[in-house]
Amino acid sequence: MLSGNILRDAIISASNNLSNNRKRVDELNVFPVPDGDTGTNMSMTVANSVREISKLEGETAGKVASVNASCLLRGARGNSGVITSVLFRGFSKGIGNDEFLTPENIAAAFSNGVEAAYKAVMKPTEGTILTVARVASEKANESFESGNDAVTVFRDAVGGAKEALAQTPEMLPQLKKAGVVDAGGQGFVLILEGMLSVFENGVIISSNNIENESSEENSEDGSFNAAGEFDTEITFSYCTEFIVNREKTCEKEPSELRTYLESIGDCVVVVDDDDIIKVHVHTDHPGNAIENALNFGNLVHLKIENMRDQHERAKHDAENAKKRPAKTADLKTEIKSVEITKPYGFVSVAAGDGVNALFSELGVDTVVSGGQTMNPSTDNILAAIEATPAETVFVLPNNKNIIMAAEQTIPLSTRKVVVIPTRTIPQGVAACLNFDPEANTNDNTIAMQKATEKVATGQITFAARDSDFDGFKIKKGELLNMIEGKISFVDTDLQKAAVRLTKQMIKKQSEFVTVIYGEDVTDEQANELETALNEKFAGKVEITFIRGNQPVYYYIISVE
């Protein structure tokens, strides 16, 4: 019988197996920007659970699965970590309160996990961890229907996962070109193999202690970053998102809302728990979607975007942004709520003393250490929110790979949390500048979101690896010059590259240019660049330089 103790040992084994192979998974990343990668994010996420479930003794399988799911959610880092946590949250739901793992609840666990993961991702892409998990689920259910025992059902699921992983290069051209499998899918296979070792042989894979989880060097993941942003035809004009705070007296089921939304649009995602319903739909009639949703409760976090107008920007939203830690989000796991003393507050993710000081000057209460090479966990962000003495807390992730982790705090916080999905530091700054303390939450949310759309972001960093990416043959150490996360050109001269990149970004209507220079740029270099830009664009734009001391990016350039 597969008891709670056995499931506990299986999760510990899974964590060790992933930790031992973390670098191998990291190296599957096909994007050349230095970013820490999937293996690190997933490994740190799962390790967060091991610390808690190791204390469990004699508990049911359902209890162990529940504690594991809760810990993974709070410890989730990066998109890959969040998706891993969602898979195991569904896994826990499938096991329920059962004392033992059975063929039936294992099959249900995989099914629930996959369903939750596909719902959680706004644009599910095949050839990623989603495909690997889905095929594993299909094989588990086939095995259960064939009357196999619990271990065989799980073993067949692992076999399906491996088969699907091997096919990921055929589904995503960038993987095939790089000659690698999907990083997130590989990480998930390692987790399943670690668990199977205990189920099948009673052996916990030991940690080799070389890949210590506590190394805080992580960020973007290969599966959902370079591989997950492909163009699709736009059928409906408006991307509409909001959260419904469910009325306790409402007897309507979220499935009714989903059915209605599917009748007026596509790309429908409706995720719910006891308190909220999170909604995403592409439609030509966002007003109708909102009107129908009001039947289920009051709405918060409304966001409506015209996808046709924003197609070019969204299309090239590849992976952006910034830096590593500063100070304030070494708010580890202890989450203590401070007294509420004001209506609004801000939490921002950033790295670099100068960038942190900038956000503080703009009124941000708590700065969470993190960015492009270190994604803070959901717990880190939640701790910062609870340390903010405000009734409503606006969260600025400032990095694409941190948005999902930030959104996981919404049902966990004692505050009302509004995540403004900023993907770069300049977007976060623009959001702060457009906050009106006299306006209500919805008006501020809309104003800040619109402000982020008016800021163009350029970044200069170095190539972390040799790569043939996006039409560029890149050598390790060369300068990557990016606009909105997409590589614009490759160079070797930092100062000339910065002038060229700024010139590409400035348009007729541009008025302001802000250059934030990093820890690897001297004041002399910054002054030299400032002189060059002022000479070249004299009378055209107002130019401001800020010492950010951020890692990873030599220059972050914003144009408004």
Side-chain angles (χ1 to χ4, degrees):
M1 300 288 280
L2 299 180
S3 65
N5 284 353
I6 291 176
L7 177 57
R8 174 202 63 201
D9 292 346
I11 295 168
I12 293 171
S13 179
S15 178
N16 290 342
N17 196 38
L18 183 56
S19 173
N20 294 344
N21 292 277
R22 177 177 66 83
K23 276 191 175 179
R24 181 161 67 90
V25 178
D26 283 348
E27 289 167 358
L28 295 175
N29 185 26
V30 297
F31 196 66
V33 170
D35 57 14
D37 307 296
T38 306
T40 302
N41 281 340
M42 294 181 74
S43 183
M44 294 180 75
T45 297
V46 179
N48 193 66
S49 171
V50 169
R51 286 187 283 270
E52 290 301 317
I53 66 168
S54 295
K55 304 172 186 176
L56 300 180
E57 180 64 41
E59 297 287 357
T60 65
K63 174 67 174 179
V64 173
S66 177
V67 171
N68 178 58
S70 177
C71 291
L72 290 183
L73 171 61
R74 291 176 175 273
R77 294 173 183 264
N79 290 349
S80 55
V82 172
I83 291 163
T84 301
S85 76
V86 170
L87 284 166
F88 277 95
R89 188 166 63 194
F91 195 90
S92 173
K93 184 177 178 182
I95 296 172
N97 297 319
D98 292 355
E99 184 174 2
F100 300 101
L101 294 180
T102 66
E104 182 176 11
N105 64 28
I106 288 175
F110 275 102
S111 295
N112 277 287
V114 169
E115 181 181 0
Y118 270 84
K119 285 181 178 179
V121 178
M122 204 168 287
K123 295 179 182 179
T125 302
E126 296 302 331
T128 64
I129 186 175
L130 296 178
T131 303
V132 175
R134 175 177 55 77
V135 175
S137 175
E138 291 168 358
K139 295 298 182 181
N141 279 276
E142 289 174 10
S143 186
F144 164 62
E145 295 291 342
S146 298
N148 292 320
D149 61 22
V151 174
T152 303
V153 169
F154 197 91
R155 184 191 303 119
D156 289 344
V158 177
K162 290 180 177 179
E163 291 174 14
L165 178 65
Q167 290 302 308
T168 55
E170 303 303 318
M171 301 180 194
L172 291 175
Q174 293 190 21
L175 296 179
K176 187 170 186 177
K177 189 173 183 179
V180 297
V181 296
D182 176 68
Q186 178 65 79
F188 189 61
V189 166
L190 289 166
I191 289 171
L192 296 183
E193 287 178 331
M195 296 177 71
L196 183 61
S197 176
V198 173
F199 293 157
E200 198 168 39
N201 304 312
V203 176
I204 299 176
I205 294 175
S206 59
S207 172
N208 61 19
N209 291 319
I210 295 175
E211 309 284 355
N212 196 320
E213 250 64 65
S214 63
S215 63
E216 298 274 274
E217 40 149 27
N218 72 344
S219 177
E220 197 64 270
D221 78 75
S223 60
F224 277 82
N225 139 93
E229 299 288 334
F230 294 104
D231 290 333
T232 56
E233 183 180 352
I234 298 176
T235 305
F236 296 96
S237 295
Y238 298 98
C239 175
T240 305
E241 296 177 70
F242 51 83
I243 289 176
V244 184
N245 286 326
R246 300 177 71 171
E247 295 285 353
K248 300 301 182 184
T249 56
C250 179
E251 296 181 357
K252 287 178 171 290
E253 291 296 323
S255 58
E256 297 178 47
L257 178 57
R258 173 188 287 277
T259 299
Y260 175 74
L261 295 176
E262 288 175 343
S263 74
I264 65 167
D266 65 6
C267 297
V268 175
V269 175
V270 177
V271 182
D272 66 282
D273 62 19
D274 292 339
D275 300 313
I276 66 170
I277 307 172
K278 186 170 182 178
V279 173
H280 170 271
V281 61
H282 293 174
T283 179
D284 287 331
H285 304 285
N288 292 349
I290 291 169
E291 191 67 32
N292 189 275
L294 286 170
N295 294 318
F296 296 79
N298 64 80
L299 309 188
V300 295
H301 314 321
L302 283 136
K303 181 163 73 75
I304 300 172
E305 295 179 340
N306 188 316
M307 295 185 295
R308 298 186 195 280
D309 285 349
Q310 297 184 345
H311 179 60
E312 281 306 309
R313 183 178 302 176
K315 171 178 147 188
H316 298 310
D317 239 354
E319 348 327 287
N320 355 25
K322 283 85 271 232
K323 347 33 309 268
R324 138 264 267 169
K327 209 168 191 156
T328 330
D330 295 323
L331 305 144
K332 289 289 184 194
T333 29
E334 293 213 31
I335 299 175
K336 297 180 181 178
S337 300
V338 300
E339 181 182 354
I340 293 175
T341 59
K342 58 183 181 178
Y344 297 117
F346 278 85
V347 167
S348 177
V349 180
D353 294 340
V355 178
N356 292 347
L358 174 61
F359 277 115
S360 294
E361 290 169 7
L362 292 172
V364 170
D365 299 88
T366 314
V367 179
V368 179
S369 295
Q372 187 66 11
T373 54
M374 192 187 92
N375 295 160
S377 69
T378 297
D379 243 10
N380 293 147
I381 300 170
L382 179 62
I385 292 168
E386 295 300 306
T388 302
E391 184 176 356
T392 297
V393 179
F394 293 98
V395 180
L396 308 173
N398 300 331
N399 188 293
K400 176 183 174 181
N401 204 40
I402 298 172
I403 294 172
M404 286 185 73
E407 289 174 339
Q408 303 303 307
T409 67
I410 292 172
L412 300 175
S413 178
T414 62
R415 274 72 165 133
K416 179 179 181 180
V417 177
V418 180
V419 178
I420 307 296
T422 52
R423 296 165 182 250
T424 67
I425 291 296
Q427 285 189 352
V429 170
C432 290
L433 289 171
N434 283 269
F435 171 75
D436 180 359
E438 302 301 321
N440 62 38
T441 302
N442 284 345
D443 288 345
N444 267 315
T445 301
I446 293 169
M448 288 189 285
Q449 178 63 36
K450 285 183 177 179
T452 67
E453 296 164 5
K454 296 176 182 178
V455 180
T457 301
Q459 299 154 307
I460 303 179
T461 187
F462 59 91
R465 54 184 68 85
D466 290 347
S467 177
D468 186 350
F469 184 83
D470 213 13
F472 296 94
K473 288 192 178 296
I474 301 165
K475 293 191 178 299
K476 182 178 179 179
E478 287 185 324
L479 298 173
L480 304 179
N481 298 268
M482 301 181 293
I483 299 176
E484 306 302 344
K486 179 178 174 60
I487 298 174
S488 179
F489 61 94
V490 179
D491 208 328
T492 56
D493 187 310
L494 178 60
Q495 302 298 79
K496 289 181 180 179
V499 174
R500 179 181 172 188
L501 186 66
T502 305
K503 182 180 179 181
Q504 288 185 353
M505 294 172 63
I506 291 178
K507 308 299 180 186
K508 281 186 178 180
Q509 67 274 23
S510 299
E511 297 179 349
F512 304 100
V513 173
T514 302
V515 179
I516 304 174
Y517 59 102
E519 63 182 6
D520 294 321
V521 176
T522 65
D523 289 332
E524 289 72 22
Q525 286 176 308
N527 291 335
E528 176 188 309
L529 178 60
E530 185 172 10
T531 299
L533 293 180
N534 277 314
E535 288 177 354
K536 192 166 190 67
F537 304 110
K540 295 181 180 179
V541 293
E542 181 180 324
I543 299 172
T544 303
F545 268 64
I546 297 172
R547 170 166 275 291
N549 285 324
Q550 73 272 8
V552 182
Y553 291 99
Y554 298 109
Y555 292 113
I556 299 170
I557 303 168
S558 70
V559 177
E560 300 178 64

